[in-house]
Amino acid sequence: MILALAGLAASNMTFAIRGDISGVHAGGRLFGAAKYGLLPELLAEPELSWGNGILELGTFVATLTGTMAGAFLADYISRTAGFGRACCCL
């Protein structure tokens, strides 16, 4: 994520995108197994399939929401570049 922040600060989208993708994949690898490892401790065996479905639904909805929010923010930032850079650095 530091690479993404440096890319945004330098207006270099190649570094920003590569840094963002690397950070997202690293987070998925670290926390993905924990999500599914917790289900057997919380749910009875007959409810595991339901819990897995709800977990996948939440992941899918979060992915779509993040993608849409990113598109709206990219459009807004392209119109107000100074404000966008300040928000991204926070």
Side-chain angles (χ1 to χ4, degrees), residues 3 7 11-19:
L3 183 62
S11 296
N12 188 338
M13 292 310 290
T14 301
F15 284 128
I17 291 172
R18 285 183 183 169

Side-chain angles (χ1 to χ4, degrees), residues 3 5 9 12 14 16-17 19 23 26 32-33 41-44 46-47 49 51 53 64 66 71-73 76 78 90:
L3 183 62
L5 183 60
N12 188 338
T14 301
I17 291 172
E41 295 180 20
L42 296 175
L43 301 173
E47 297 173 328
S49 179
L64 286 177
F72 288 126
L73 283 173
Y76 182 73
S78 68
L90 293 175

Side-chain angles (χ1 to χ4, degrees), residues 11-85:
S11 296
N12 188 338
M13 292 310 290
T14 301
F15 284 128
I17 291 172
R18 285 183 183 169
D20 186 43
I21 289 173
S22 299
V24 168
H25 285 288
R29 285 190 300 265
L30 289 172
F31 301 114
K35 286 191 308 187
Y36 295 105
L38 188 63
L39 282 179
E41 295 180 20
L42 296 175
L43 301 173
E45 191 169 334
E47 297 173 328
L48 283 176
S49 179
W50 173 84
N52 189 28
I54 293 297
L55 194 62
E56 286 294 323
L57 174 68
T59 303
F60 186 69
V61 169
T63 302
L64 286 177
T65 304
T67 302
M68 292 186 330
F72 288 126
L73 283 173
D75 182 47
Y76 182 73
I77 288 170
S78 68
R79 286 185 269 139
T80 58
F83 177 73
R85 284 190 183 159

